[in-house]
Amino acid sequence: FACIDWSNSDFFIVLLSSVNREYQDLFSSENLSQLHQVSLHFELQFPDQTFPLAHMQAELLTAFKSQEPRPSKLQREVATALTRIGWDHVFEFVTEEGLSIDMAQPNTMTAIEIDGPSHYLSSKEKQRIENGRTKFKSRLLRQLGW
């Protein structure tokens, strides 16, 4: 759903409602982190419905926020250049929802993401196409007003 910009509440409800409490211990921290992003999407896309794993929200957010940002050299260089030209920003800003933004001006909700080659898929035409993870994060940030 992340790659094709498709979303259906019934899909999420059926899929996630099948997760019994007894199986929740089998989720890795990375799995829980990904489910947090799905919960954000669900809440933004379907505000009048309850996320099927709502009872795990705190655990999902904790797993998501526990992932350490890994800024690239290019990201650091861009941040330094922006500072040099007087663009005040927060480096590796974390939103209330736990999303990490490479550089941000929170008061104006302006975000800059430095996306290197790992954020793209290759195509035969040598076009750069955002991978699912990058596309999904971009969509979440836009939905949150960034």
Side-chain angles (χ1 to χ4, degrees), residues 44 87-90 93-97 99 101-113 138-146:
L44 293 167
W87 196 74
D88 292 326
H89 62 279
V90 179
F93 177 76
V94 178
T95 68
E96 277 182 40
E97 299 79 13
L99 295 170
I101 299 173
D102 295 347
M103 285 149 265
Q105 287 183 331
N107 56 335
T108 61
M109 293 190 75
T110 304
I112 294 180
E113 286 286 299
S138 296
R139 189 166 65 221
L140 284 175
L141 287 171
R142 279 191 309 276
Q143 288 176 309
L144 291 167
W146 289 91

Side-chain angles (χ1 to χ4, degrees), residues 21-127:
R21 291 183 191 270
E22 64 191 72
Y23 296 115
Q24 292 171 8
D25 293 337
L26 301 176
F27 288 125
S28 69
S29 181
E30 183 178 350
N31 296 148
L32 295 171
S33 178
Q34 290 171 342
L35 283 170
H36 172 69
Q37 292 178 71
V38 172
S39 74
L40 277 177
H41 170 73
F42 189 91
E43 290 168 10
L44 293 167
Q45 206 63 31
F46 314 108
D48 57 332
Q49 297 188 37
T50 302
F51 182 61
L53 301 177
H55 60 281
M56 295 177 63
Q57 280 307 66
E59 188 180 359
L60 301 180
L61 180 60
T62 298
F64 190 74
K65 285 187 171 185
S66 72
Q67 294 189 348
E68 292 293 318
R70 293 172 294 200
S72 67
K73 181 181 175 191
L74 175 61
Q75 195 176 326
R76 291 179 196 281
E77 290 171 353
V78 170
T80 299
L82 290 172
T83 299
R84 204 171 324 140
I85 64 169
W87 196 74
D88 292 326
H89 62 279
V90 179
F91 187 71
E92 287 297 337
F93 177 76
V94 178
T95 68
E96 277 182 40
E97 299 79 13
L99 295 170
S100 176
I101 299 173
D102 295 347
M103 285 149 265
Q105 287 183 331
N107 56 335
T108 61
M109 293 190 75
T110 304
I112 294 180
E113 286 286 299
I114 305 298
D115 294 337
S118 66
H119 293 266
Y120 295 92
L121 305 172
S122 299
S123 72
K124 292 178 184 176
E125 298 82 27
K126 302 289 184 204
Q127 292 178 328

Side-chain angles (χ1 to χ4, degrees), residues 1 6 8-20 23-24 27 34-35 38 42 51-53:
F1 74 94
W6 174 84
N8 179 295
S9 63
D10 292 338
F11 168 77
F12 290 108
I13 291 169
V14 169
L15 179 70
L16 297 173
S17 294
S18 66
V19 177
N20 295 333
Y23 296 115
Q24 292 171 8
F27 288 125
Q34 290 171 342
L35 283 170
V38 172
F42 189 91
F51 182 61
L53 301 177

